[in-house]
Amino acid sequence: MTRDARGRFSRDFYILLIPTLMWVICFFVVPSGLMLATSFAQRGTHGGIVWHWTLGNYAALGQPLYGKILLNSLFIAACTTVACLILGYPLAYYLARVRSRWRNVLLLLLVVPFWTNFLVRTYAWKFILRTDGLLDRVFTALHLPAPDLLYQHVQFSVFLGLVYGYLAFMVLPLYASLEKQDPALLEAAHDLGASPLASFRHVTLPLSLPGVIAGSILVFIPSLGAYITPDLFGGGKYLMVGNLIGQQFGASLNWPFGSALSYVLMTLVLLGAVGYFRMMGTEEI
Amino acid sequence: MNRSMQGRIELRQVTKCFGAVTAVDGISLDIRGGEFFSLLGPSGCGKTTTLRLIAGFERPTTGEILLEGVSVTGIPPHRRNVNTVFQSYALFPHLTVEENIGFGLKMKRLPKSEINLQVEDVLSLVKLTGLGERKPSELSGGQQQRVALARALVNHPAILLLDEPLAALDLKLRKQMQIELKVLQRQVGITFVYVTHDQGEALSLSDRIAVMQDGRVLQIGTPSDLYEHPNCHFVADFIGQSNFFPATVAGHREGGLTLRLTGAESLIEVPAECGYHPGQEVILAVRPERLQISTNPPPPPFNGLYGMVSEVMYLGTLLQYTVSVSDSLQVLVHQPNLGSDSTPPIPRASKVYITWLPEHGILLESMTS
């Protein structure tokens, strides 16, 4: 019993919370506070932080260059999420319906790529997409013009890389929500005159919405903050907001601006998530 | 449509195999329109598969199914004029009661106002008026059951299929719902095909019953047919209680046979068709409530057994005696409980005579033959 007669938690219960609480305070609350403070400070002439309060770091976001990078990042993250949803839903549906003996093997196959470092997998994609890479050679062999995706269409390449990288994050929650659906519900829909398509639209899809939401959030947030994929594919010349932030803390030595960017990104993600929950009309995940 | 075809279901030599397992093995049924027809049997006997074949969730491996005179092979469930009440109810958890019930009508693209009207009607038919806004999870088991029923009935199907619809309810509610189902079936007048493993339920509800075992139909008949004239050991055992006496044919007499029961001295008479020969091994079944039990010897020659009461059980509406005739022969006797003044229970260890009328004996083929 962790609650007493009046519904209050016991003292022992709070004692058990202390380690977690300490962790969160030391490694989340304090750093976040420091970063928030930094975002209102100024950059020193040779880097470093000068504690003169200013809103200038946030105002700088109004510059067309930075605004464009931010909007572009949002666009790519949204495209990645939609693509993962379109590709991942049929896969998750199949996994949820396949005979149980094969299901675990297939789920394992879905996760196996994660045993390889993300950096290595991204490099592998670079070898596929680059000039005279695997993709170009396949096209040439088929007597088609080589697409040279990595250099001619770096944004599309980044999008491909992100979809590849985060597809499993979409599939797993979708699978979880589809797998627990009672197959009798689908039979009931058929029985009541719903065609397979109508059954999907009126029964399967609405019941899988929690999975859709969870999957979308799990894909959208890391896509928006993507760093490795645009960095490797763009050779440092293609910037998503994650790279911009990385630059501020690295080469540009502008920690205050980097902090401000991070906070804007966090706020956007938070607002986006809340809006998405509202739109889907689901509180429970 | 021809009136005699309305609501009629015909199964012709239908077989359904799942891999190496034959779930339904060459079943033929002719279910009349407006009939309350039950498929009765233990779990795994193929009754639910038969229902799913009629609904269209499964395709027969061989054989043919006709609904209202038309072969439905290859017609998917959503194009059959048949609705199902599922054992788990299968109510849509994300829809309200009204939306659940209106689902079928919405699929038929009826106007919203028409749907509302019909949903209201059927809600009052199943006595759920005022609960339309609730979600299924906010209803009791009995209420969910009624929603499942309403959701099927609102479509005015020619045939309603019910898969153990009352199995999840407690005894008292089940009894009440049985009566309501029967009344409802008369009211709407459509064919009910009812799957159950509960023989009491099947007996009390059905016009006719098909008793199934191992994918086959053993006997089809009215409840009293099956109870009074079971055609095999399984049916006699599954429907009601029976005493089974292994016996040997001793001789013929007018309109029947005399039998010698294994483990007993006396000769027993039983009416029988011809086709039995002396020395043949048979089984005699007698219902426990058809037996008379008495400490006084009946006038000879009597049709019965002599033994000792080894157990007396008080079961409320009746007294159950277990009488030991010999080491290998135990007999169950039911005596109606008419009040302790008129019939004081016979105490344990009393010597008793058990008698029955020859026509209450049921002659069955020996299981070994």
Side-chain angles (χ1 to χ4, degrees):
Chain A
M1 287 297 282
T2 52
R3 286 171 193 257
D4 67 12
R6 280 185 284 175
R8 289 181 313 196
F9 288 105
S10 71
R11 205 189 52 184
D12 292 357
F13 183 77
Y14 286 110
I15 290 173
L16 285 174
L17 271 181
I18 285 175
T20 318
L21 216 57
M22 290 310 290
W23 180 274
V24 170
I25 288 173
C26 291
F27 298 110
F28 181 72
V29 177
V30 170
S32 298
L34 280 174
M35 208 167 81
L36 186 64
T38 309
S39 76
F40 291 105
Q42 285 179 14
R43 172 180 185 258
T45 326
H46 307 289
I49 301 163
V50 179
W51 296 105
H52 287 298
W53 303 122
T54 174
L55 288 171
N57 298 315
Y58 289 94
L61 277 169
Q63 289 176 28
L65 177 65
Y66 300 136
K68 200 183 149 204
I69 288 175
L70 197 59
L71 284 178
N72 198 39
S73 301
L74 284 168
F75 174 70
I76 290 180
C79 288
T80 304
T81 308
V82 171
C84 282
L85 192 58
I86 292 170
L87 289 174
Y89 205 105
L91 179 57
Y93 190 89
Y94 176 75
L95 284 173
R97 295 278 179 278
V98 74
R99 293 261 176 86
S100 53
R101 194 158 55 93
W102 285 105
R103 188 186 285 174
N104 289 336
V105 177
L106 292 171
L107 278 172
L108 188 71
L109 285 178
L110 187 71
V111 187
V112 157
F114 285 81
W115 297 354
T116 309
N117 186 290
F118 184 62
L119 200 63
V120 174
R121 286 184 285 138
T122 309
Y123 264 114
W125 268 96
K126 223 177 140 169
F127 279 94
I128 294 172
L129 299 177
R130 68 176 186 175
T131 316
D132 286 334
L134 184 65
L135 189 72
D136 281 9
R137 277 189 242 158
V138 169
F139 269 69
T140 313
L142 294 170
H143 303 292
L144 293 165
D148 193 11
L149 271 184
L150 197 57
Y151 299 106
Q152 301 300 322
H153 305 282
V154 66
Q155 178 156 310
F156 186 71
S157 299
V158 168
F159 160 76
L160 278 184
L162 291 176
V163 169
Y164 163 77
Y166 298 125
L167 185 59
F169 293 151
M170 181 64 87
V171 173
L172 292 176
L174 276 176
Y175 165 79
S177 75
L178 286 168
E179 194 265 339
K180 70 180 181 201
Q181 277 184 30
D182 182 1
L185 293 178
L186 216 52
E187 290 189 343
H190 287 317
D191 188 71
L192 293 166
S195 64
L197 195 67
S199 307
F200 177 77
R201 195 164 81 83
H202 293 289
V203 178
T204 310
L205 186 61
L207 284 174
S208 67
L209 272 189
V212 172
I213 292 172
S216 299
I217 288 173
L218 286 180
V219 172
F220 183 79
I221 291 175
S223 302
L224 186 59
Y227 178 82
I228 290 177
T229 311
D231 191 55
L232 285 186
F233 282 14
K237 294 192 196 79
Y238 179 79
L239 294 184
M240 279 178 70
V241 67
N243 307 101
L244 188 60
I245 293 170
Q247 251 180 19
Q248 302 316 309
F249 285 96
S252 306
L253 282 179
N254 193 347
W255 288 24
F257 184 52
S259 302
L261 271 174
S262 301
Y263 262 90
V264 169
L265 191 61
M266 261 165 33
T267 312
L268 279 177
V269 166
L270 213 60
L271 287 176
V274 169
Y276 200 65
F277 281 105
R278 287 271 167 81
M279 193 174 76
M280 293 296 186
T282 322
E283 281 86 32
E284 79 260 23
I285 282 197
Chain B
M1 186 191 302
N2 187 338
R3 259 191 75 83
S4 71
M5 281 299 162
Q6 198 174 344
R8 184 172 167 185
I9 307 165
E10 291 157 274
L11 272 70
R12 293 182 185 163
Q13 290 297 321
V14 172
T15 296
K16 176 68 189 178
C17 304
F18 296 103
V21 182
T22 305
V24 171
D25 193 358
I27 282 185
S28 294
L29 293 172
D30 188 348
I31 302 170
R32 293 186 281 265
E35 193 170 24
F36 199 125
F37 192 93
S38 291
L39 298 169
L40 173 66
S43 57
C45 73
K47 55 192 192 300
T48 294
T49 305
T50 307
L51 199 76
R52 293 172 58 80
L53 285 163
I54 299 172
F57 300 133
E58 310 287 354
R59 273 168 175 251
T61 309
T62 60
E64 195 178 20
I65 298 172
L66 288 88
L67 298 182
E68 306 196 296
V70 181
S71 172
V72 291
T73 313
I75 295 182
H78 64 276
R79 299 219 192 89
R80 296 189 184 191
N81 192 12
V82 170
N83 286 113
T84 307
V85 177
F86 293 84
Q87 183 171 8
S88 63
Y89 310 145
L91 299 177
F92 305 123
H94 60 299
L95 302 179
T96 64
V97 167
E98 276 174 352
E99 289 166 336
N100 262 285
I101 297 175
F103 192 91
L105 301 176
K106 190 173 162 191
M107 291 302 119
K108 283 185 196 155
R109 299 182 192 285
L110 257 64
K112 192 105 187 76
S113 56
E114 179 65 27
I115 293 177
N116 289 340
L117 222 60
Q118 295 205 28
V119 168
E120 273 309 307
D121 275 357
V122 77
L123 270 175
S124 76
L125 184 72
V126 297
K127 300 174 191 152
L128 284 178
T129 308
L131 298 183
E133 304 286 326
R134 303 239 186 125
K135 286 278 176 72
S137 57
E138 298 167 319
L139 301 179
S140 70
Q143 289 169 332
Q144 291 182 18
Q145 213 286 318
R146 286 159 200 263
V147 175
L149 203 58
R151 186 177 68 173
L153 283 174
V154 77
N155 304 293
H156 302 294
I159 295 151
L160 187 68
L161 307 176
L162 303 103
D163 185 6
E164 307 239 6
L166 309 181
L169 305 180
D170 62 65
L171 184 67
K172 198 136 198 179
L173 193 55
R174 194 155 70 224
K175 294 280 176 217
Q176 184 195 332
M177 285 303 294
Q178 284 176 8
I179 297 170
E180 288 189 23
L181 264 182
K182 187 75 193 165
V183 171
L184 196 66
Q185 195 260 343
R186 285 224 186 85
Q187 231 172 328
V188 295
I190 58 181
T191 314
F192 274 36
V193 182
Y194 193 95
V195 161
T196 181
H197 66 270
D198 180 338
Q199 49 98 15
E201 196 165 283
L203 286 180
S204 57
L205 291 174
S206 318
D207 295 321
R208 285 196 304 156
I209 300 168
V211 183
M212 294 183 67
Q213 187 200 19
D214 295 338
R216 294 168 189 273
V217 172
L218 298 180
Q219 189 173 5
I220 302 175
T222 64
S224 72
D225 276 347
L226 297 178
Y227 193 81
E228 306 292 343
H229 309 291
N231 66 359
C232 62
H233 185 282
F234 182 85
V235 174
D237 194 24
F238 198 77
I239 296 189
Q241 273 181 297
S242 289
N243 289 295
F244 294 102
F245 306 124
T248 322
V249 176
H252 289 270
R253 64 167 191 92
E254 198 187 338
L257 303 170
T258 50
L259 305 176
R260 187 173 298 283
L261 305 194
T262 312
E265 300 298 313
S266 44
L267 283 173
I268 302 294
E269 291 182 11
V270 63
E273 315 272 308
C274 45
Y276 291 90
H277 55 83
Q280 187 180 348
E281 290 190 356
V282 293
I283 288 173
L284 180 73
V286 191
R287 301 285 183 192
E289 76 277 12
R290 298 283 159 85
L291 300 174
Q292 308 293 323
I293 185 167
S294 170
T295 48
N296 304 320
F302 71 92
N303 194 59
L305 299 164
Y306 178 70
M308 191 182 70
V309 175
S310 61
E311 201 60 68
V312 185
M313 286 175 100
Y314 179 79
L315 300 180
T317 57
L318 51 85
L319 289 164
Q320 174 173 293
Y321 297 98
T322 308
V323 178
S324 196
V325 176
S326 65
D327 287 346
S328 62
L329 192 59
Q330 310 280 320
V331 186
L332 223 54
V333 182
H334 286 168
Q335 193 179 45
N337 182 2
L338 303 172
S340 47
D341 294 340
S342 58
T343 54
I346 301 167
R348 248 165 60 95
S350 305
K351 301 282 186 190
V352 289
Y353 296 88
I354 302 163
T355 55
W356 64 92
L357 297 171
E359 58 265 36
H360 287 157
I362 303 159
L363 192 61
L364 302 169
E365 292 193 8
S366 171
M367 278 183 294
T368 51
S369 65

